[in-house]
Amino acid sequence: MPKNSKKTFESIFTKTRVYLVVIGIVLIILCMQNIVFIPSSVLLYIILIAYTFWTNSKNKTELDKHIQELTFNVETVAKNALINSPFPLVIAKEDGTLTWKSSSFVSEFGNIDIKDILSGMIKETIVEIEKSEQRNDRQVINKQIKIEKKDYKVIIETIASKARNKKRKDEIMLVMYFIDDTDFLEISKKIKETRNCIGIVMIDSYEELVQNLSQEEKVQLVTEIETKIYDWIAKIDGIALKTDTNRICFVFEEKYLDTIIENKFEILKETKNTETEGVIQATLSIAICAERRNK
């Protein structure tokens, strides 16, 4: 009998025994006052005891039946939830054998050979469990994989079942849920790429660079340098604003940041090649502020 039903039955039986003891005491007192009531009291008490045991037995049977029906309903709901799970789901052994697949798993991967992918994930998971310092009967491990053109987050729940034979080690079962993360990752990527970065370009030693130049030469040199800067900013679809005689601020999307770094800020080299009348070479200083997470 389940523990809950056993406790309920014992509480009911305990109350009944209290009533029987009270009735027994009353009958004894009655018989002591008049011995004529002894036979009828004994008979009545026997009938009460028999009826009590019969009632308790009946209640116990009905209670057990009710609990069995409730347990069956819960198990049925749980099984239906697994079978009709919206996520592809598969149950596998640690040796890679698939013991059960949900209907959504079959429809999702029916035309794809993912046997090697599953075997690889299962082996990695078993290795992680064996290396884990905190080994529990149940563990949850998350993995990210790509199957054809889709990205999946795989939630792996491992369940250790005791081996019947003591000489054999405990067997590990794996319940694997496949959640399609393709759209989520694509949107996350777009959000990251379209985050704004702010940059500042400064012409170094501006005063020394133009101090010996005529007004016409000064305008020509500055225009040439600024044109190169604006062209460079235009390549990364940036928006530029001149905030001082030697300073230009610009805003661009983060997706261009890696290109800028890979090209080693090509504008710096182009500016150095600018012909100047003085001995000072035209150089730039560039500062960029970018917020990068989980790159």
Side-chain angles (χ1 to χ4, degrees):
M1 184 194 300
K3 290 184 179 179
N4 290 338
S5 64
K6 189 175 181 180
K7 288 180 180 178
T8 305
F9 176 71
E10 285 177 353
S11 67
I12 295 171
F13 189 67
T14 301
K15 291 178 182 178
T16 307
R17 280 188 294 181
V18 172
Y19 296 147
L20 286 173
V21 170
V22 172
I23 293 170
I25 293 171
V26 171
L27 290 175
I28 291 171
I29 294 171
L30 186 64
C31 292
M32 289 175 64
Q33 292 179 351
N34 193 338
I35 60 173
V36 176
F37 295 115
I38 292 177
S40 58
S41 296
V42 171
L43 180 62
L44 177 63
Y45 199 68
I46 291 172
I47 292 172
L48 282 173
I49 292 174
Y51 177 76
T52 300
F53 275 98
W54 177 78
T55 304
N56 286 338
S57 177
K58 183 181 178 183
N59 291 339
K60 175 179 171 294
T61 303
E62 290 178 354
L63 188 62
D64 284 345
K65 184 179 179 182
H66 174 71
I67 289 172
Q68 287 175 1
E69 289 177 354
L70 185 63
T71 305
F72 175 77
N73 291 335
V74 171
E75 289 177 352
T76 303
V77 170
K79 288 177 182 178
N80 288 336
L82 281 176
I83 293 170
N84 301 316
S85 169
F87 306 114
L89 186 152
V90 65
I91 300 175
K93 294 182 179 179
E94 59 182 301
D95 61 0
T97 305
L98 304 183
T99 58
W100 184 81
K101 305 174 187 176
S102 69
S103 56
S104 53
F105 181 90
V106 175
S107 61
E108 182 80 8
F109 304 112
N111 299 322
I112 304 172
D113 185 10
I114 63 167
K115 191 179 291 184
D116 293 337
I117 297 173
L118 289 176
S119 297
M121 274 199 302
I122 292 169
K123 288 178 182 178
E124 289 176 8
T125 303
I126 298 301
V127 170
E128 287 182 33
I129 293 171
E130 291 174 349
K131 290 182 179 179
S132 176
E133 294 180 357
Q134 298 178 343
R135 298 189 65 179
N136 303 318
D137 289 340
R138 286 176 177 265
Q139 292 189 45
V140 177
I141 298 171
N142 295 330
K143 290 187 177 294
Q144 200 75 34
I145 63 166
K146 192 175 187 70
I147 301 176
E148 291 196 341
K149 296 180 179 180
K150 288 187 176 183
D151 294 286
Y152 292 91
K153 178 182 179 181
V154 184
I155 301 174
I156 305 173
E157 183 179 6
T158 63
I159 303 169
S161 58
K162 299 293 182 181
R164 294 181 180 178
N165 190 339
K166 293 182 178 180
K167 294 181 180 180
R168 295 183 180 180
K169 67 175 186 176
D170 295 345
E171 187 178 22
I172 297 176
M173 300 293 291
L174 299 94
V175 182
M176 308 168 75
Y177 304 84
F178 291 76
I179 301 173
D180 190 345
D181 253 4
T182 309
D183 292 338
F184 173 77
L185 293 177
E186 189 65 31
I187 293 170
S188 298
K189 182 181 177 183
K190 286 181 180 178
I191 291 172
K192 290 177 183 178
E193 288 180 346
T194 53
R195 282 201 297 245
N196 288 332
C197 299
I198 300 173
I200 299 175
V201 181
M202 291 184 64
I203 303 174
D204 299 329
S205 307
Y206 179 77
E207 296 297 332
E208 290 83 354
L209 187 65
V210 300
Q211 66 179 353
N212 296 323
L213 301 179
S214 64
Q215 186 64 28
E216 185 180 345
E217 290 172 337
K218 175 182 174 181
V219 171
Q220 183 179 353
L221 176 62
V222 173
T223 301
E224 186 179 351
I225 294 173
E226 288 182 351
T227 300
K228 290 180 178 181
I229 294 172
Y230 288 131
D231 289 344
W232 175 70
I233 294 172
K235 288 180 182 178
I236 56 175
D237 293 335
I239 300 173
L241 176 66
K242 186 174 181 179
T243 58
D244 204 347
T245 52
N246 67 328
R247 185 185 292 114
I248 295 174
C249 293
F250 63 101
V251 179
F252 65 99
E253 292 182 345
E254 190 176 302
K255 62 183 176 182
Y256 296 105
L257 187 57
D258 288 332
T259 304
I260 293 171
I261 296 171
E262 287 171 7
N263 293 334
K264 299 179 180 179
F265 294 90
E266 57 186 355
I267 184 63
L268 299 176
K269 186 176 180 180
E270 291 179 11
T271 304
K272 283 184 179 181
N273 294 333
T274 304
E275 293 183 4
T276 59
E277 295 294 333
V279 293
I280 298 177
Q281 190 178 40
T283 58
L284 299 176
S285 293
I286 301 176
I288 292 177
C289 177
E291 185 180 5
R292 313 194 83 174
R293 301 191 191 99
N294 300 326
K295 179 66 175 68

